[in-house]
């Protein structure tokens, strides 16, 4: 199990939290997603089979930006 912490821009409310939690949570091999609006971070617990790129593109597909 791996933990990836991503900085994400554009998240502002509970709707954003839900959208990201649901979208990333639906990816294969994801066991937990948590979003912190204050620190603009998304923390994902996932299996090694799921690449970080896949998580990033899923978040971008929801309309948010990854902060490099
Ligand atoms: Cu929102």
């Amino acid at each position: 199990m791996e933990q990836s912490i991503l900085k994400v821009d554009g998240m502002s409310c509970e709707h954003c939290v839900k959208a990201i939690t649901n979208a990333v949570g639906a990816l294969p091999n994801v066991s937990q997603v948590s979003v912190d609006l204050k620190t603009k971070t998304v923390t994902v617990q996932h299996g090694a089979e799921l690449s970080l790129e896949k998580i990033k593109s899923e978040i971008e597909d929801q309309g948010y930006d990854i902060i490099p």
Side-chain angles (χ1 to χ4, degrees), residues 1-66:
M1 194 63 58
E2 296 188 4
Q3 174 170 280
S4 295
I5 302 173
L6 298 118
K7 277 264 187 189
V8 178
D9 211 4
M11 303 187 297
S12 57
C13 67
E14 284 306 310
H15 168 81
C16 303
V17 172
K18 230 178 175 168
I20 288 179
T21 303
N22 289 345
V24 176
L27 290 170
N29 299 308
V30 170
S31 57
Q32 202 192 327
V33 184
S34 60
V35 177
D36 189 327
L37 288 178
K38 224 180 280 174
T39 57
K40 297 184 174 181
T41 54
V42 176
T43 304
V44 185
Q45 315 276 353
H46 61 96
E49 308 93 315
L50 180 64
S51 72
L52 190 55
E53 286 313 306
K54 194 111 198 237
I55 299 171
K56 286 180 180 175
S57 72
E58 185 62 41
I59 291 172
E60 285 172 340
D61 284 352
Q62 295 298 313
Y64 304 97
D65 294 316
I66 304 295

